[in-house]
Amino acid sequence: MALQMIAQFDTADFGAWTDVFDTERESLGHAGLSVLQVWRQPDKPNHAWVLFRVNDRDKAETFIEGDAVAGAERAGIVHQQHVFLETA
């Protein structure tokens, strides 16, 4: 079964968040995550949603708990949440 993750980010500034997010693509890959889709919520323009393919859940969870938290301030993330999902 395919494992994916949906992440939701509340940002102080969507443009600043995207700039930082784009520089993190290589780090995400090393963390077992591949970006499949990025969305912006139209009625809340500073809210972003990202769909990832999870290649290695252990690495992804370690990244979320460590490097992602450290980079959140730099990206202007006010709040974030992550949900792992399996294809049924």
Side-chain angles (χ1 to χ4, degrees):
M1 288 186 205
L3 185 62
Q4 298 176 332
M5 181 180 76
I6 294 178
Q8 192 270 324
F9 302 96
D10 298 334
T11 70
D13 178 296
F14 183 83
W17 172 82
T18 358
D19 291 344
V20 173
F21 185 77
D22 288 344
T23 66
E24 294 294 319
R25 298 284 180 128
E26 187 174 344
S27 296
L28 290 166
H30 292 302
L33 296 167
S34 301
V35 177
L36 298 176
Q37 187 71 50
V38 177
W39 297 282
R40 183 179 192 176
Q41 199 167 336
D43 55 338
K44 295 181 181 179
N46 287 328
H47 291 235
W49 296 81
V50 182
L51 176 62
F52 296 93
R53 179 177 52 244
V54 179
N55 303 309
D56 186 320
R57 184 174 181 163
D58 290 336
K59 284 183 180 180
E61 287 178 336
T62 299
F63 179 79
I64 291 166
E65 294 168 4
D67 293 342
V69 171
E73 184 177 327
R74 187 168 56 93
I77 296 171
V78 177
H79 173 74
Q80 61 183 313
Q81 61 183 4
H82 307 84
V83 178
F84 289 93
L85 304 165
E86 276 185 339
T87 304

